[in-house]
Amino acid sequence: MPTEPPTRTDTWHVSALHIPRDTPADDPRLERMRAMRARILYDRGRRPEFRTAEGAYADEQELDLGAWHLFGTDAPGAQPLGYVRLSTPETGELFQTRSYLGGERYEEALREHGVGVGETFEHSRLVVEHRARKLGLGVHLNAVAMAAARHLGAKAMIGTSGTADGQDVFHGRFGFRPLTGTRRYVERYTEDVVVLLYRAADPAGEYEELVARLEEEFPSFVTPTTTPASAPAAAYPAAPVHRSRTAGTDRDDDRWRPVLLDLAREDDAAAFDGLLASDRVREVRDTLEDQLVELVTSRDPGLRRSPAAVALAVDEQLAGRAPREYGTWVWYPWSGRLVHLLPRDEFRLVRTDRNRGRIERPQQRRLLERRVGIIGLSVGSSAALTFAMEGIAGAFKLADFDTLSVSNLNRLRAGVHHLGLNKCVIAARQMAEIDPWLDIEVHRGGLTDEVMDEFFTGGAGPIDLLVEECDTPYVKLAARERARALRVPVVMDANDRGLLDVERFDLEPERPLLHGLLGDTTAADLTDLTPSQVVDVILDMVGRDTLSSEMTAALPRIGSTLSSWPQLASGVALGGALTAEAARRILLGLPRPSGRFYADLDALTSADRSTVS
């Protein structure tokens, strides 16, 4: 349910009701709200437990007290078509997530993500009438709940989500991420359930603009009679309902996740039709028939000898489904492109078909189960894109605080339309355009002490390998200290003479950092360095005596006739190849020892190295 079709002309009416914790159980507002919610949950008999033997609708939960209750209607005074509950830390001991995980694991999970129990809100009971689902009310109410939480000071939101009908994917589009190890089958719901977390400091996924706007508007949703005691009444002007319309967010600088649409789902089909009817789609690319031919012939290359056999195999693959509804439509909001692709596993089978003979299918599957962290997305962008193309890892964490400038265009695969964008976002978009199913997290503030734990072990899961390509000595050493403690291997390219650096902390947890080149120096020793000290430390790290003649000659000119280190696109591209080859072997358990190695093209392609006369 990614967006409301833009062709809709009416508006949603949103209201917010806060029910204090000491509210009597027979309060009419509480009774009406529970009956309304139970009526939608009853769903014409699909969930009979929400109707009593006497025919009344019932959904009594202790969490209703002390919570915010958010309603959506299509006309002032009309019966609500949707609802969502937002619980505050006041009732944190009753959170469904806490009950699901257990108190100790719940608090541990929050600590791992840098938030406290008193800073975390829980949203639950998102219910929407069938006829309003297709029109995007669920999207709007979810955005209102997030906006309310942020307005009320939440540092994080948490909740449990079913997986059978794609609710976890729905919430993922708002920036919620699954907590590692929390997915399990729940018999009451007859499906797998997973815990999802959203940190309020992060963008709300593809709906950030909508959530940000609603966050500003939230006070106008609330009537004076429902103002919480902790807030001044003046903060909530009288407004029984607030008219607001859900619309797709505009392209902005923070978006890197594509929207995946399955036309077999009503919500996605409605969103798809809405996109086509809007002015947001610049290009529709549908080559599914060609992709199906590639699929069947990659499985059986012998089919290529018979066009009739290929056509039959394609028909069998479709199994009676219309081509338009087969597979996945991918919406790239930053470019306005809507692309039709095979289903994920079939797409990946075809996309990596030419890897076979070098990376066989079982190895490809093993690699897609791995998660790679990349620090520094200038030189590191080449590694990120090479990894994505080669299928090395199915999940990534990217960290870089810098934005693209004109002087970066000599070595980064980017265009002038990317100027001013964060380098992580640029890389993440390009990777998603290679494989839209990649799980990519970005840290646009770079790798700082505050996000170190999140980067290495938090988010959707711990990293299995680190590619370090940043320019800050403190971060280079601090990242290695953490990697060694966690036994995470580190690879680095120095962009001079094809230097490849490998540190197998997974096999050698006592190995000296950077092969002992800095002696007993720690990250704490590298804070507050002057520019000349930074240069000296970097030279110690890469090796003064092993620099190329060009780099040696350039060093004295930095800061006078040269603005910074000289770097070329060819060297960056080579670095991407070297780090990818090393990472692939490490992640597959193939030989790749610790050490420093050189693929010096000047030496390797000198006249005396030619293999022909």
Side-chain angles (χ1 to χ4, degrees):
M1 193 156 34
T3 59
E4 175 188 352
T7 52
R8 181 179 167 89
T9 57
D10 58 331
T11 55
W12 294 120
H13 297 256
V14 178
S15 58
L17 171 68
H18 180 261
I19 297 183
R21 197 167 186 180
D22 58 358
T23 300
D26 59 353
D27 186 287
R29 299 173 303 167
L30 193 60
E31 292 180 343
R32 286 196 299 269
M33 180 273 297
R34 286 173 169 170
M36 175 278 303
R37 189 172 66 197
R39 175 181 56 79
I40 298 175
L41 285 166
Y42 178 69
D43 197 11
R44 301 173 187 172
R46 191 165 74 91
R47 300 186 187 93
E49 65 269 26
F50 290 102
R51 197 168 191 178
T52 67
E54 293 76 26
Y57 296 111
D59 181 32
E60 183 174 337
Q61 290 196 322
E62 190 176 355
L63 263 176
D64 292 331
L65 300 175
W68 283 88
H69 304 270
L70 309 169
F71 306 86
T73 69
D74 59 358
Q79 188 177 51
L81 298 174
Y83 161 92
V84 64
R85 178 176 63 204
L86 179 67
S87 300
T88 72
E90 180 186 3
T91 56
E93 76 279 3
L94 301 175
F95 281 6
Q96 294 177 348
T97 316
R98 189 185 190 98
S99 175
Y100 177 84
L101 292 177
E104 185 176 343
R105 176 69 184 100
Y106 172 79
E107 294 180 11
E108 178 187 2
L110 294 182
R111 284 195 300 271
E112 289 174 354
H113 289 80
V115 294
V117 172
E119 302 170 319
T120 304
F121 288 48
E122 181 183 68
H123 74 313
S124 55
R125 280 296 196 259
L126 174 62
V127 295
V128 179
E129 292 271 23
H130 277 288
R131 63 188 176 94
R133 293 176 192 173
K134 296 181 181 181
L135 300 176
L137 180 56
V139 168
H140 197 78
L141 283 173
N142 211 52
V144 170
M146 296 179 71
R150 294 195 335 192
H151 179 86
L152 295 168
K155 294 291 183 64
M157 292 180 68
I158 200 165
T160 56
S161 173
T163 59
D165 61 355
Q167 280 300 302
D168 55 330
V169 176
F170 168 78
H171 289 297
R173 293 171 178 166
F174 286 86
F176 281 86
R177 308 309 297 266
L179 296 188
T180 304
T182 63
R183 179 167 176 159
R184 67 173 182 265
Y185 182 78
V186 177
E187 187 170 358
R188 177 187 175 191
Y189 299 115
T190 66
E191 64 176 318
D192 281 359
V193 170
V194 66
V195 174
L196 303 176
L197 180 81
Y198 163 73
R199 296 197 316 172
D202 297 333
E206 62 197 65
Y207 298 107
E208 170 58 26
E209 182 178 314
L210 174 63
V211 173
R213 174 170 61 80
L214 292 171
E215 182 180 356
E216 294 180 0
E217 298 173 354
F218 176 70
S220 65
F221 300 163
V222 187
T223 64
T225 56
T226 63
T227 301
S230 59
Y236 297 94
V241 295
H242 177 83
R243 302 185 67 203
S244 180
R245 183 183 62 189
T246 301
T249 60
D250 296 331
R251 292 188 293 275
D252 58 61
D253 292 355
D254 293 329
R255 305 181 68 176
W256 69 89
R257 290 193 180 100
V259 180
L260 306 179
L261 301 172
D262 178 0
L263 299 195
R265 296 178 54 201
E266 287 186 1
D267 297 334
D268 285 5
F272 177 83
D273 291 339
L275 280 171
L276 291 180
S278 74
D279 60 357
R280 301 177 63 200
V281 180
R282 292 179 51 247
E283 178 182 358
V284 177
R285 179 69 61 180
D286 186 356
T287 63
L288 188 76
E289 293 183 5
D290 293 337
Q291 295 174 46
L292 285 165
V293 170
E294 282 194 280
L295 173 64
V296 300
T297 56
S298 64
R299 286 173 171 166
D300 184 359
L303 290 176
R304 291 188 174 94
R305 294 189 291 268
S306 171
V310 170
L312 179 61
V314 167
D315 287 343
E316 292 176 348
Q317 184 67 35
L318 287 171
R321 286 167 290 187
R324 179 180 181 270
E325 297 178 357
Y326 186 86
T328 301
W329 285 87
V330 184
W331 164 239
Y332 293 102
W334 55 86
S335 67
R337 293 187 175 94
L338 187 60
V339 185
H340 195 184
L341 297 176
L342 294 166
R344 184 193 67 176
D345 292 345
E346 295 170 7
F347 170 82
R348 284 176 165 171
L349 184 147
V350 175
R351 197 188 73 77
T352 59
D353 185 57
R354 295 290 293 275
N355 285 0
R356 290 192 299 160
R358 299 293 302 275
I359 310 174
E360 300 299 347
R361 295 280 187 227
Q363 293 176 314
Q364 293 176 18
R365 289 191 289 271
R366 286 171 57 193
L367 287 171
L368 286 172
E369 295 172 354
R370 299 307 190 102
R371 189 179 307 275
V372 169
I374 303 177
I375 308 170
L377 272 298
S378 288
V379 174
S381 67
S382 178
L385 295 178
T386 305
F387 281 38
M389 284 187 282
E390 200 161 295
I392 301 172
F396 295 86
K397 297 183 181 183
L398 312 179
D400 198 318
F401 64 87
D402 201 10
T403 58
L404 185 76
S405 61
V406 174
S407 62
N408 297 140
L409 293 175
N410 78 316
R411 62 194 184 280
L412 268 70
R413 181 177 170 261
V416 293
H417 59 292
H418 291 124
L419 290 172
L421 289 181
N422 179 271
K423 293 175 181 177
C424 290
V425 172
I426 295 171
R429 289 179 177 183
Q430 293 172 338
M431 295 164 75
E433 289 167 351
I434 295 168
D435 182 345
W437 288 277
L438 291 176
D439 178 6
I440 303 174
E441 301 175 39
V442 303
H443 295 265
R444 286 161 295 176
L447 188 67
T448 63
D449 291 336
E450 290 73 23
V451 302
M452 189 77 72
D453 289 338
E454 174 80 6
F455 185 85
F456 274 91
T457 61
I463 61 173
D464 300 295
L465 180 138
L466 175 66
V467 179
E468 188 279 296
E469 298 291 355
C470 71
D471 296 330
T472 307
Y474 172 80
V475 176
K476 294 174 85 70
L477 217 56
R480 282 173 170 79
E481 289 173 347
R482 188 60 55 90
R484 183 172 64 180
L486 296 171
R487 304 188 68 162
V488 174
V490 179
V491 298
M492 175 187 74
D493 154 61
N495 199 231
D496 184 58
R497 293 188 57 214
L499 186 158
L500 172 68
D501 197 87
V502 180
E503 295 169 279
R504 295 298 304 271
F505 297 128
D506 55 325
L507 304 179
E508 307 166 85
E510 303 301 323
R511 185 176 183 83
L513 303 181
L514 284 163
H515 320 293
L517 291 172
L518 298 186
D520 295 330
T521 301
T522 67
D525 299 323
L526 301 179
T527 58
D528 301 321
L529 299 181
T530 66
S532 62
Q533 289 173 327
V534 169
V535 172
D536 285 339
V537 173
I538 294 291
L539 289 177
D540 288 339
M541 289 180 174
V542 300
R544 298 172 184 268
D545 299 331
T546 56
L547 294 176
S548 65
S549 58
E550 292 91 344
M551 184 65 76
T552 301
L555 287 177
R557 300 170 54 196
I558 296 176
S560 57
T561 61
L562 292 179
S563 59
S564 187
W565 309 89
Q567 293 177 312
L568 295 177
S570 54
V572 172
L574 176 61
L578 293 173
T579 52
E581 191 276 343
R584 172 168 48 83
R585 297 182 69 84
I586 291 170
L587 295 175
L588 289 175
L590 301 174
R592 175 48 64 206
S594 295
R596 181 160 287 183
F597 313 92
Y598 290 89
D600 188 340
L601 295 184
D602 282 346
L604 294 175
T605 60
S606 61
D608 61 331
R609 299 297 294 272
S610 174
T611 60
V612 296
S613 301

